[in-house]
Amino acid sequence: MITTSEHIDVNRTDGVLTLTMNRPAKKNALTQEMYAALADNVVAAQSDPDIRVVVLTGTADSFTAGNDLADFAGGPGKAKRGENEIPPVGRFLQAILQAEKPLLAAVNGLAVGVGVTMLLHCDLVYASPNATFQTPFVNLGLVPEAGSSLLMPRLVGQQKANELLLLGKKIDAAEAERIGLIAGVLDADTLQHDVAQVAATLAARAPNAVKLTKSLVKHERDDVAQQMADESVHFSAQLQTAEFAEAASAFAERRPADFSKL
Ligand code: COA
């Protein structure tokens, strides 16, 4: 059964499944329930002959502000899971890593954390001019996830990757295009329509040729899966540290984090 979430809109049109992160009051920050709905829909699309392309997008001024920070330390979703059960965020990352059908993204606004790292698994990413991209893992006392410590330097080079991953630098859509993080910048008013057109074009192409081409371009799935597992060990450990506790308190109290005593 596919998990539903009031904050994930699901639309199926002309062979294209569009999943919209829709929690604008929280900048579309992702809860466990939202990850579960995204994961289930992406997985189900792979064996659904009526779906040929999946599109990820957001609402209002945000693509997504990343993982819900309140959820990070282990919200109710964690308590309900068994010891060996993969958490929804892990299921979502596996789903986009293993997806055989093209995954597109329309980045309509700010993208933070996993809002950026999920893009590294998308085959075509377009953004509006107002979109911004930031991976502030270290700022939060955390480490990169979603295989981004491998995929980001491969995509944009080690120096630019370190500006993003080590410094947590925020970049705009024009720079994201320049460094190769995204395919292009499209007009804000027509972004969703234009990406839907690209998706429909792809959905009309020979499906096996499309799948094979995607697979040939993304030949490194095993390496990425291993890197994700390695990242996950450090990520989980860092979540338990005073470093993350300070960063989380600072966010809640709307003040800069102070790591000087750590
Ligand atoms: N998790 C939980 N709530 C979040 C969130 C997140 N990742 N990002 C934003 N929100 C919430 C805010 O707490 C605020 O809620 P409130 O109105 O109930 O207080 C609401 O969304 C609006 O955010 P706000 O910070 O007021 O908007 P802004 O335009 O000033 O800043 C961001 C937007 C995204 C830059 C800022 O919210 C931010 O830095 N968020 C954290 C992003 C992050 O670190 N993600 C995880 C990366 S690993």
Side-chain angles (χ1 to χ4, degrees), residues 89-166:
V89 57
R91 288 205 291 114
F92 171 62
L93 296 179
Q94 281 300 325
I96 57 176
L97 172 63
Q98 303 299 344
E100 294 183 339
K101 297 182 182 179
L103 197 52
L104 272 53
V107 184
N108 55 301
L110 66 86
V112 187
V114 73
V116 175
T117 58
M118 74 169 78
L119 302 177
L120 303 171
H121 299 273
C122 293
D123 304 290
L124 287 164
V125 180
Y126 295 97
S128 56
N130 60 313
T132 56
F133 302 79
Q134 189 184 17
T135 46
F137 299 111
V138 171
N139 311 30
L140 290 166
L142 298 172
V143 298
E145 35 79 311
S148 58
S149 55
L150 183 70
L151 294 172
M152 190 74 90
R154 276 192 189 170
L155 196 59
V156 304
Q158 192 172 320
Q159 292 296 317
K160 287 292 171 194
N162 279 335
E163 282 197 319
L164 292 161
L165 295 176
L166 265 181

Side-chain angles (χ1 to χ4, degrees), residues 25-27 29 65 67-69 72 110 112-113 136-137 140 251 254:
K26 297 288 182 186
K27 306 281 179 194
N67 205 105
D68 186 293
L69 286 172
F72 248 152
L110 66 86
V112 187
F137 299 111
L140 290 166
F251 178 70
R254 293 183 177 267

Side-chain angles (χ1 to χ4, degrees), residues 213-233:
T213 302
K214 167 169 175 147
S215 163
L216 287 163
V217 172
K218 285 186 73 153
H219 57 88
E220 76 291 339
R221 281 198 181 95
D222 290 350
D223 295 359
V224 181
Q226 184 57 52
Q227 191 84 359
M228 268 191 199
D230 294 348
E231 289 170 346
S232 175
V233 170

Side-chain angles (χ1 to χ4, degrees), residues 13-249:
T13 309
D14 297 334
V16 178
L17 174 73
T18 302
L19 301 172
T20 303
M21 297 172 279
N22 188 5
R23 193 188 176 213
K26 297 288 182 186
K27 306 281 179 194
N28 301 333
L30 292 162
T31 60
Q32 297 300 311
E33 180 197 80
M34 291 165 75
Y35 281 124
L38 289 171
D40 287 356
N41 276 287
V42 172
V43 168
Q46 306 310 310
S47 55
D48 183 341
D50 293 335
I51 299 296
R52 295 195 171 182
V53 177
V54 177
V55 176
L56 298 170
T57 192
T59 48
D61 63 356
S62 308
F63 181 64
T64 168
N67 205 105
D68 186 293
L69 286 172
D71 251 28
F72 248 152
K78 189 167 184 177
K80 275 187 261 155
R81 284 196 311 275
E83 270 297 293
N84 298 318
E85 204 177 320
I86 303 172
V89 57
R91 288 205 291 114
F92 171 62
L93 296 179
Q94 281 300 325
I96 57 176
L97 172 63
Q98 303 299 344
E100 294 183 339
K101 297 182 182 179
L103 197 52
L104 272 53
V107 184
N108 55 301
L110 66 86
V112 187
V114 73
V116 175
T117 58
M118 74 169 78
L119 302 177
L120 303 171
H121 299 273
C122 293
D123 304 290
L124 287 164
V125 180
Y126 295 97
S128 56
N130 60 313
T132 56
F133 302 79
Q134 189 184 17
T135 46
F137 299 111
V138 171
N139 311 30
L140 290 166
L142 298 172
V143 298
E145 35 79 311
S148 58
S149 55
L150 183 70
L151 294 172
M152 190 74 90
R154 276 192 189 170
L155 196 59
V156 304
Q158 192 172 320
Q159 292 296 317
K160 287 292 171 194
N162 279 335
E163 282 197 319
L164 292 161
L165 295 176
L166 265 181
L167 289 178
K169 180 184 171 187
K170 179 157 78 176
I171 61 171
D172 63 17
E175 184 169 3
E177 181 180 19
R178 194 173 56 74
I179 67 176
L181 185 61
I182 64 174
V185 183
L186 300 174
D187 198 85
D189 293 338
T190 56
L191 174 76
Q192 305 291 356
H193 174 262
D194 292 347
V195 173
Q197 290 282 98
V198 175
T201 301
L202 214 42
R205 295 259 153 92
N208 208 38
V210 166
K211 271 194 202 173
L212 286 169
T213 302
K214 167 169 175 147
S215 163
L216 287 163
V217 172
K218 285 186 73 153
H219 57 88
E220 76 291 339
R221 281 198 181 95
D222 290 350
D223 295 359
V224 181
Q226 184 57 52
Q227 191 84 359
M228 268 191 199
D230 294 348
E231 289 170 346
S232 175
V233 170
H234 295 300
F235 198 100
S236 303
Q238 280 301 113
L239 279 177
Q240 307 305 321
T241 62
E243 294 186 357
F244 175 67
E246 165 56 14
S249 305

